[in-house]
Amino acid sequence: MDNKELLHLMEEQLKLSKQLKARIRELEAARTAPLAIVSTALRLPGGLNSAEDYWDFLLGDRDVISEIPEDRPGLRAVFDPKQNTPNHSYVERAGFLSDVAQFDPAFFGMSQREAESTDPQQRLLLETAWEAMERAGIPVRRRDRINAGVFVGIMTSEYGDRLTNRTGDREVDPYYGTGGGLSMAAGRVSYVMGFSGPAVSVDTACSSSLVALHLGAQALRRGECRYALVGGANLIFSPDLMVSLCQNQALAPDGRSKTFTAAADGYGRGEGVGVAVLMRLDDAEREGRPILAVLRGSAVMHDGASSGLTVPNGNAQQEVIRAALADAGVAAHEVGAVETHGTGTSLGDPIEVGALDAVIGAGAPGRSVPALLSTLKSRLGHLEGAAGIAALIKVVLMLQHGVVPTAVAPDAGPLNEYIPWDRVRLAVPRTQTPWPVEYERRIAGVSAFGMSGTNAHAILEAYTPVSAASSEQLAGASSVPQLVTLSAKNATSLTELVSATASYLVGTAREQLASAAHTLRAGRAPFEHRVAVVGASGGELAEKLAVAVGHASKVTAKNAQTSVTLRVGSGVVRLSAGINALSVAYPMLAAVVGGEDQPPAERIKRLLQALGLRVKAEQRTPALGAAAAEIAWGEQVFPLITEDPAASPANLLNALAAIFVDGADLRLDALRPTGAAILGDLPTYVFRRKRCWIDEPQPRSSVPVPRAAASSGESPAATESESESESAADAGETAQAALDQELIHEYLISELMNIMHAEEALDRTETFLEVGGDSFTAMQLTMSIEERYQVEIPLDDFNEDLQISVLIDRLTRRIIAARVPADKANGA
């Protein structure tokens, strides 16, 4: 090899080396990429149903610890104030949610029967997950199969105990498994919303939901999903677990965690559900999502060998905190505050403070001021499986507001004497404290230590926007008319949503109006009951919404047409001017319409296709103006470009409003004006809740009484005899009515409602899936048909996309077709 060839080889190797190093840097950056928390939703004790409620509570001194509710008789029955009483609990207070029986099964495609059998933890996760997605401005269209993962911390499912009561009128059915299994907590959210990413339920006891956060963060960084829904749920139903915790002396007799104080004597339990939506920070910034805080890093480890399975290990806690700092690329002295695990036990508190001091306190070189220790459990109770998500949302609020709420109230007594407060570089705020100015960055940690020994820690930072829209951009976006679209699954919810949205718009600053309108039309999924209005101000939009909702009607065509006819005139100059006006108003459309070298009809066609419409272009007709374009939607015709090209944006919005109300599934994110962003504080869907609840069973020692005998006062034998006679009579009537289509229809609808425990008449224009039908419903109905008509029905007939009216007609034809030959063969 001569020198020239050798030089060429060296150059190639150097080039390859640079490429490999660049790829390594790229992979390293992906492995530690910062993640954005773009929305949260929660249900906490004391009626805390929003982040705003939560923050007001944290800054106040309100008490949310209450006595056991009346609808938890099992918990009330085992209470005995005397400790160490066998099979009894000495606790009668905790942080309880006010009403967990209410739910909107129709919205989530569940029957009344399935909703009643489903753990309220799953139901509340559905509500908060939906709300969180709306607050993030991500429309949940089930058939889109959004690339979202669901990671849920949940450690108990106690509601299902009441389904196993065979002494009453309930029996175990297929919903027992799906309604109570821990895996279903994440799986049901993904199924209902059509997500395609990982769906994982996590049980590591009290660290469950913070471990779920870690798993969600890993999935995002590895590209397993685009969005990660991280949540946690905890409801208290079982007297057995309460008794067990009391027998272990784990609980405080007064039901309160007294974290870091000399009075610490165990933890107080609490209920709650929370969800946060995360995505990669660069994606969130590009899409204009509301960024509440940045997740820099996280870590999960186990105590390993310790003095007991449930005993904390200080060295292991140090390790997990150091690992989270390394993952975040953050120095220990930069951490200004930590939301501690802080259960309020005499053993756990000193161990946790010692571990924190060793890493971020006295053990952190360069620390100038003490790190602040925050604690949630002394105010809200220990939410166990949901403790991590409640702590995460609290830290997000602390970072946003730059304030650390009171950790230990001034009247809570002295701090724990077994903690050397004079030597640690940590402080417990006894009043509301601003974030110390000594820190260049606002960074906080979150700890969660599970009774299982699994420990988790996360590092978050306050978000500083890289660039914000200029006042000129915001003013320009708000100077053009705005389109607002709202929809719901029923008229009641739509009316309430319109009212809440109108109130919001009236108080919206003009420079935020474009963002609000963009969020409502691009960040919400469309439903059957719809309104859409166009206006130039918040007040005008609010007034038009109030009028429109009074005339709103339901979209009856389940697959509403999306085809429009485009008629274009011959005036190229004015057509180009109108297209340019649209491109200026909506820059995302400018990227798809093409340049002026393209025919105007083709450019407009591309514009409409970007909004989700299928377009059939036609040449100018005699009735069309010389320089105009119009859109025909069925029998309606809308002007698009007229003699005044500057009016084109308003013309387009008016056409889209009418088309939306008529039922088209439009994709309106392309109408995002310059500077507009997704707003996370707009009103979210108003659920139409009703009671979905199974009362706790009677004691198993009670003697079961057959329902028929109990109602008639007669003996079971007599009841069985009557039942046989009634069955024979029913069989005779069935033979006579077998070919009566109307009677078959009536029976099928009645039986379907009975199986689903439906309290209202089924909407026959909705699909089998939309009314809550599933494989169990189909199986039960086929069994009923076989018993009544002696006809086998294939389960393939129960296509989830069939309207109820079509399904009933199909089943009726099956029955008639099968019965006619049978009747002839029997001489009927």
Side-chain angles (χ1 to χ4, degrees):
M1 180 179 294
D2 58 24
N3 290 340
K4 185 176 181 180
E5 291 175 327
L6 182 61
L7 179 61
H8 177 72
L9 179 60
M10 292 176 63
E11 289 175 346
E12 288 296 316
Q13 291 299 314
L14 180 61
K15 181 179 178 182
L16 179 60
S17 176
K18 289 180 178 179
Q19 290 175 344
L20 291 174
K21 288 181 179 179
R23 179 57 178 160
I24 291 172
R25 287 193 297 270
E26 181 182 335
L27 292 173
E28 282 294 314
R31 189 183 66 81
T32 59
L35 306 175
I37 299 173
V38 296
S39 71
T40 62
L42 54 87
R43 304 287 185 270
L44 297 177
L48 309 180
N49 294 326
S50 69
E52 293 76 19
D53 293 342
Y54 194 14
W55 186 243
D56 289 343
F57 163 77
L58 291 170
L59 296 185
D61 56 4
R62 185 160 64 92
D63 187 353
V64 298
I65 307 300
S66 62
E67 292 186 356
I68 299 170
E70 293 286 345
D71 61 3
R72 320 283 178 95
L75 292 172
R76 298 169 70 90
V78 298
F79 171 69
D80 187 323
K82 183 180 178 181
Q83 296 189 35
N84 299 319
T85 303
N87 296 318
H88 282 76
S89 157
Y90 54 76
V91 174
E92 65 173 344
R93 298 178 67 81
F96 290 101
L97 293 181
S98 58
D99 191 351
V100 298
Q102 300 295 316
F103 183 60
D104 187 346
F107 180 84
F108 294 105
M110 296 171 66
S111 66
Q112 178 77 13
R113 179 173 186 168
E114 183 176 11
E116 289 171 351
S117 300
T118 299
D119 188 339
Q121 292 180 125
Q122 292 187 32
R123 303 188 326 217
L124 287 168
L125 280 168
L126 285 172
E127 283 192 7
T128 49
W130 186 273
E131 179 182 325
M133 289 295 279
E134 286 202 336
R135 292 195 181 281
I138 305 170
V140 179
R141 293 178 172 91
R142 194 169 189 266
R143 296 192 180 280
D144 283 0
R145 283 184 57 79
I146 297 174
N147 185 17
V150 179
F151 306 86
V152 173
I154 182 170
M155 60 176 275
T156 60
S157 181
E158 303 166 344
Y159 179 79
D161 292 349
R162 62 195 65 193
L163 300 180
T164 61
N165 173 38
R166 292 183 174 85
T167 63
D169 60 357
R170 294 287 304 189
E171 293 185 356
V172 173
D173 61 26
Y175 294 131
Y176 173 74
T178 59
L182 295 184
S183 63
M184 298 298 171
R188 188 181 294 276
V189 172
S190 290
Y191 164 75
V192 169
M193 301 189 185
F195 296 154
S196 63
V200 181
S201 294
V202 180
D203 177 11
T204 58
C206 309
S207 59
S208 297
S209 51
L210 207 62
V211 173
L213 173 73
H214 176 70
L215 296 178
Q218 287 185 320
L220 285 170
R221 286 169 167 171
R222 288 198 296 260
E224 295 176 1
C225 53
R226 183 173 183 80
Y227 310 105
L229 279 78
V230 175
N234 193 62
L235 293 179
I236 304 170
F237 295 122
S238 171
D240 296 335
L241 181 56
M242 186 73 87
V243 169
S244 176
L245 291 169
C246 285
Q247 295 300 314
N248 286 331
Q249 302 290 310
L251 301 184
D254 61 358
R256 299 174 183 277
S257 300
K258 294 172 277 293
T259 308
F260 301 142
T261 70
D265 57 355
Y267 79 84
R269 302 185 73 190
E271 299 184 324
V273 176
V275 171
V277 177
L278 285 79
M279 56 191 300
R280 290 174 64 103
L281 178 60
D282 53 355
D283 288 338
E285 290 176 329
R286 183 167 52 254
E287 296 176 13
R289 305 288 173 195
I291 301 173
L292 309 181
V294 177
L295 177 65
R296 290 290 177 187
S298 61
V300 171
M301 292 184 176
H302 193 272
D303 280 339
S306 63
S307 58
L309 173 62
T310 63
V311 178
N313 184 332
N315 290 331
Q317 291 180 13
Q318 293 182 39
E319 290 174 1
V320 76
I321 297 169
R322 288 193 177 98
L325 288 167
D327 187 53
V330 168
H333 72 272
E334 294 181 288
V335 178
V338 174
E339 176 61 29
T340 62
H341 185 61
T343 52
T345 61
S346 56
L347 175 65
D349 285 358
I351 292 175
E352 181 174 10
V353 171
L356 286 168
D357 187 55
V359 180
I360 68 164
R367 176 160 294 284
S368 59
V369 294
L372 302 177
L373 302 185
S374 182
T375 173
L376 174 65
K377 296 175 179 64
S378 59
R379 295 286 316 279
L380 202 63
H382 183 2
L383 272 55
E384 298 168 334
I389 191 67
L392 177 78
I393 297 174
K394 177 185 175 182
V395 169
V396 168
L397 292 167
M398 287 165 48
L399 292 170
Q400 283 185 300
H401 295 276
V403 172
V404 179
T406 301
V408 176
D411 59 357
L415 297 180
N416 192 321
E417 60 186 1
Y418 298 108
I419 299 174
W421 297 106
D422 59 334
R423 296 200 302 272
V424 301
R425 294 288 283 162
L426 306 169
V428 178
R430 306 204 69 166
T431 186
Q432 182 177 312
T433 304
W435 209 275
V437 296
E438 287 83 357
Y439 295 102
E440 293 183 6
R441 302 163 66 186
R442 199 179 296 167
I443 297 174
V446 188
S447 286
F449 307 136
M451 188 170 63
S452 65
T454 299
N455 305 321
H457 193 83
I459 302 294
L460 288 85
E461 182 175 7
Y463 175 66
T464 302
V466 177
S467 61
S470 67
S471 57
E472 292 79 9
Q473 288 177 322
L474 293 173
S478 299
S479 64
V480 298
Q482 302 298 331
L483 166 65
V484 167
T485 59
L486 294 174
S487 67
K489 285 198 172 185
N490 59 79
T492 301
S493 293
L494 180 61
T495 299
E496 294 182 23
L497 181 60
V498 165
S499 177
T501 304
S503 297
Y504 181 98
L505 291 173
V506 167
T508 300
R510 189 171 184 84
E511 60 270 18
Q512 289 296 311
L513 188 60
S515 293
H518 169 62
T519 302
L520 290 171
R521 64 177 176 255
R524 304 289 189 265
F527 299 114
E528 298 92 325
H529 295 261
R530 303 181 177 193
V531 294
V533 297
V534 177
S537 68
E540 182 184 359
L541 289 166
E543 290 178 4
K544 288 186 174 181
L545 281 173
V547 173
V549 74
H551 303 286
S553 60
K554 181 180 177 182
V555 176
T556 56
K558 303 311 295 181
N559 297 308
Q561 62 166 334
T562 55
S563 296
V564 297
T565 298
L566 173 63
R567 303 188 185 118
V568 178
S570 58
V572 175
V573 174
R574 289 185 179 177
L575 285 170
S576 296
I579 295 171
N580 290 339
L582 290 166
S583 298
V584 170
Y586 309 112
M588 292 180 66
L589 292 178
V592 300
V593 298
E596 294 190 7
D597 57 324
Q598 299 290 322
E602 179 63 25
R603 298 178 72 195
I604 299 173
K605 178 181 179 180
R606 292 177 184 176
L607 181 150
L608 297 176
Q609 288 174 334
L611 299 171
L613 292 166
R614 289 181 294 175
V615 182
K616 177 183 177 183
E618 290 186 359
Q619 292 299 318
R620 184 172 67 89
T621 64
L624 202 61
E630 63 184 24
I631 302 170
W633 166 264
E635 297 182 356
Q636 302 181 73
V637 177
F638 306 99
L640 179 58
I641 299 175
T642 62
E643 296 295 326
D644 180 12
S648 300
N651 293 339
L652 176 63
L653 296 186
N654 285 320
L656 293 174
I659 293 172
F660 173 82
V661 170
D662 270 0
D665 184 11
L666 302 174
R667 305 294 171 132
L668 300 177
D669 50 314
L671 292 180
R672 176 183 174 185
T674 301
I678 296 292
L679 301 182
D681 61 344
L682 277 155
T684 55
Y685 192 88
V686 181
F687 297 109
R688 189 183 179 189
R689 296 181 178 92
K690 61 180 179 178
R691 187 173 177 82
C692 300
W693 188 253
I694 297 173
D695 290 323
E696 289 188 36
Q698 296 298 318
R700 291 185 179 274
S701 59
S702 62
V703 179
V705 180
R707 280 178 289 167
S711 61
S712 65
E714 299 179 6
S715 67
T719 303
E720 290 175 8
S721 177
E722 285 187 6
S723 178
E724 291 175 0
S725 299
E726 290 173 359
S727 296
D730 285 345
E733 292 176 4
T734 298
Q736 295 177 4
L739 303 183
D740 190 320
Q741 181 172 316
E742 186 175 341
L743 288 178
I744 295 174
H745 271 213
E746 182 179 339
Y747 168 76
L748 293 176
I749 286 291
S750 174
E751 188 64 12
L752 182 58
M753 291 179 62
N754 180 55
I755 292 169
M756 300 172 69
H757 292 187
E759 298 176 348
E760 300 177 355
L762 299 179
D763 185 341
R764 301 192 188 192
T765 68
E766 293 192 333
T767 66
F768 181 64
L769 179 66
E770 288 173 330
V771 299
D774 56 20
S775 58
F776 170 64
T777 311
M779 180 184 65
Q780 290 289 100
L781 186 55
T782 58
M783 291 170 61
S784 297
I785 293 172
E786 182 174 354
E787 181 179 352
R788 183 175 179 87
Y789 295 106
Q790 292 79 53
V791 174
E792 292 188 8
I793 301 292
L795 287 178
D796 290 346
D797 278 6
F798 290 84
N799 186 305
E800 65 179 20
D801 294 326
L802 284 180
Q803 291 183 358
I804 292 298
S805 60
V806 176
L807 174 63
I808 296 301
D809 285 341
R810 175 180 292 186
L811 295 176
T812 300
R813 289 196 301 272
R814 286 271 193 187
I815 293 169
I816 292 175
R819 287 295 302 173
V820 168
D823 291 345
K824 288 182 178 179
N826 294 328

